Amino acid sequence: MSRKAAVRAARPEDEKLPIGRSFTYGLQHVLTMYGGIIAVPLIIGQAAGLDDGDIAVLIASALFIGGAATVLQSWGVRFFGSQLPLVQGVSFAGVATMLAILSGGGGIPAVIGAVLVAGAFGLVVAPFFAQIIRFFPPVVTGVVITTIGLTLMPVAAGWAMGGQGSPDFGSVSNIGLAFLTFVIVLVLSKVGVASISRLSILLAIVIGTLIAAVLGMTDFSGVGDGAVVAVPEIFAFGAPTFEIAAIISMIIVVLVTMTETTADILAVGEIIGTDVDSKRIADGLRADMLSSTVAPVFNSFTQTAFAQNVGLVAITGIKSRFVVAAGGVIMLVLGLLPVLGRVVAAIPTPVLGGAGVVLFGTVAAAGIRTLAKVDYEGNMNLVIVASSLAFGMIPIVAPTFYDGFPDWFTTIFHSGISSAAVMAVLLNLLFNHFRAGTPTNPSVVAARGVRYISPTVLDALEDGDTVRNGKLVDSTGAEIPVAGKNGTQGEGSQVRREAAPRKGRRGGRR
């Protein structure tokens, strides 16, 4: 085996599990992101005034393209796919822009045309975009990963309350069901059997759904309505139209989704403990943009990596990309068999919310773990982290904060993830790359590392000992030899006394 092949075989993401387990864990990934992937076609379809049948076409197309994109991203072929456990799906980043295009009277064909051109643009610039990897050290990736988790928490809260538009949104029963599912996840995670613990999310969703059925909080009666098999039709809503303003707006969206996908690639690489270089990012972005270019042909929209599934990788410890590829196959089947999609759609939203609290919190925790590796002494890294996290939280705590700004600005900074990523990269450049003007002794808000002195050193100090010009001297000004210098090894910074110990030891140390 060549050295290159040996290194590749050692990657944790290349582990292959039995087919049955792979598809079981893959189903867990599908259930985790199902609510998110159908939300965008629901929103766009309703805004476009489509009937239930046409909205069903959008949903089936989203599942079909999302499945194909997931297989491409995780399995990978030459130049396409990061070969990481990343689930792909319709991006939320383009919702506001697509709604604006619809309000302008262009209809679904104008949206499809804008997505098609923007996806092709992203495919061309992907290799150049990937070169920004050197500007993503841990101080940046830690901020982005933490922000991903925190940004997703409102999604989990909305699910736990019953989902926007639910007639009993925010009811005690909905939140109670979500909390019960949350508790089930924790209990199953505590079980000593690894297979149960790793399937805690899936099992909790199944158990929560069964409890909801008993309580009359879910309805499977509509599963039999509609077609059993349906193949997505090419340009089902007519030939695409191309409007310059719509295309420019969608290109901005594509740049945002590329930023988010880059962040997710770095995040999952950090979580599973594998190397991620600019080539893998370029391959991942090419897969992302190829999917986004093909998606409108089959009546879907821009694709991106789903951050919530990064959390699932973290909490289950299942690092295999082939598991995610199996999930992609399941999504493909759901796209071709709407009846199965309707079964999954019957899962109560509060159940997904209870599981989502654990998943999204896990992503934030992974980011905090990365930030713990950052050196904060003698630099401005604390300022970078503090400012970037705060900037990323603005759209979360105040969703209307940027409403008065131009549309292109709102498109970029309405996403907490892109806001934090942009600010972290810029501040890292300002303080750690362009050092001109950066103070040698940072400001008071910069962190200073904690200092430790071992008990051995304390015991060796005596009254009058002090440090002068970097040397340890006694009360007479004579230098005290320090073990470890001149090749002598000592414990920590152990002070070595050549003379007999004196009285009054430690009284005047500083």
Side-chain angles (χ1 to χ4, degrees), residues 6 13 29 94 119 169 229 274 317 319 327 338 346 371 455 482 507 510:
E13 63 270 27
H29 272 286
F169 182 76
V229 180
T274 194
K319 304 173 182 180
L371 290 175
V482 178
R510 21 180 127 169

Side-chain angles (χ1 to χ4, degrees), residues 5-338:
V7 171
R8 180 182 175 86
R11 300 189 311 183
E13 63 270 27
D14 291 334
E15 179 187 7
K16 292 185 177 180
L17 303 179
I19 293 179
R21 289 174 60 193
S22 293
F23 276 92
T24 302
Y25 290 131
L27 176 61
Q28 189 168 229
H29 272 286
V30 174
L31 294 179
T32 298
M33 54 86 70
Y34 191 87
I37 199 171
I38 69 171
V40 175
L42 276 173
I43 294 170
I44 300 302
Q46 291 171 355
L50 302 181
D51 58 29
D52 291 345
D54 286 338
I55 291 177
V57 170
L58 289 180
I59 293 174
S61 298
L63 289 166
F64 181 79
I65 292 297
T70 298
V71 173
L72 179 62
Q73 183 71 270
S74 55
W75 191 283
V77 296
R78 185 174 176 81
F79 299 123
F80 293 93
S82 63
Q83 295 189 336
L84 289 168
L86 286 169
V87 176
Q88 298 284 125
V90 180
S91 172
F92 275 93
V95 170
T97 298
M98 290 188 287
L99 291 177
I101 295 172
L102 290 173
S103 65
I108 292 291
V111 172
I112 294 298
V115 173
L116 184 61
V117 176
F121 170 84
L123 185 59
V124 172
V125 304
F128 306 100
F129 196 88
Q131 297 305 314
I132 67 173
I133 178 65
R134 64 183 182 276
F135 300 124
F136 279 81
V139 69
V140 174
T141 57
V143 165
V144 173
I145 297 169
T146 303
T147 305
I148 289 173
L150 296 177
T151 298
L152 290 170
M153 289 310 297
V155 176
W159 288 351
M161 297 172 75
Q164 292 292 342
S166 172
D168 55 349
F169 182 76
S171 67
V172 174
S173 58
N174 281 341
I175 296 175
L177 179 59
F179 181 76
L180 179 59
T181 305
F182 168 76
V183 171
I184 293 172
V185 172
L186 298 183
V187 171
L188 293 177
S189 299
K190 180 69 173 176
V191 174
V193 181
S195 58
I196 294 178
S197 180
R198 288 179 169 182
L199 285 170
S200 59
I201 298 295
L202 174 59
L203 294 175
I205 290 175
V206 172
I207 295 172
T209 300
L210 292 175
I211 293 173
V214 172
L215 298 176
M217 296 180 65
T218 188
D219 182 13
F220 288 93
S221 62
V223 170
D225 298 340
V228 175
V229 180
V231 178
E233 179 184 350
I234 295 177
F235 294 130
F237 300 96
T241 58
F242 304 98
E243 300 176 0
I244 297 300
I247 291 172
I248 293 174
S249 298
M250 194 56 64
I251 285 176
I252 295 174
V253 170
V254 160
L255 293 174
V256 172
T257 60
M258 291 174 75
T259 302
E260 293 183 345
T261 295
T262 299
D264 289 333
I265 290 174
L266 293 169
V268 80
E270 177 76 21
I271 288 170
I272 68 176
T274 194
D275 292 332
V276 174
D277 55 16
S278 58
K279 180 183 181 301
R280 291 191 87 170
I281 292 179
D283 290 348
L285 291 176
R286 273 192 287 261
D288 209 40
M289 291 299 104
L290 178 61
S291 303
S292 295
T293 306
V294 174
V297 177
F298 291 94
N299 320 299
S300 195
F301 314 112
T302 50
Q303 303 289 300
T304 190
F306 265 49
Q308 51 261 54
N309 292 84
V310 175
L312 185 59
V313 172
I315 198 171
T316 63
I318 301 297
K319 304 173 182 180
S320 172
R321 59 192 175 95
F322 301 110
V323 164
V324 170
V329 173
I330 293 173
M331 291 166 62
L332 276 168
V333 173
L334 290 175
L336 295 172
L337 300 175

Side-chain angles (χ1 to χ4, degrees), residues 391-472:
F391 199 69
M393 288 301 97
I394 288 176
I396 309 307
V397 300
T400 60
F401 190 85
Y402 296 118
D403 282 3
F405 287 73
D407 290 343
W408 65 267
F409 188 94
T410 304
T411 299
I412 297 173
F413 292 103
H414 187 69
S415 164
I417 299 172
S418 346
S419 297
V422 169
M423 182 60 71
V425 169
L426 291 179
L427 292 182
N428 180 57
L429 286 172
L430 176 64
F431 291 121
N432 293 332
H433 289 267
F434 306 133
R435 295 184 176 276
T438 301
T440 304
N441 296 315
S443 69
V444 69
V445 295
R448 179 176 178 83
V450 180
R451 303 178 64 197
Y452 298 96
I453 299 177
S454 71
T456 304
V457 174
L458 291 177
D459 289 338
L461 295 174
E462 299 179 357
D463 289 341
D465 290 345
T466 187
V467 176
R468 297 178 188 171
N469 298 323
K471 298 179 180 179
L472 182 64

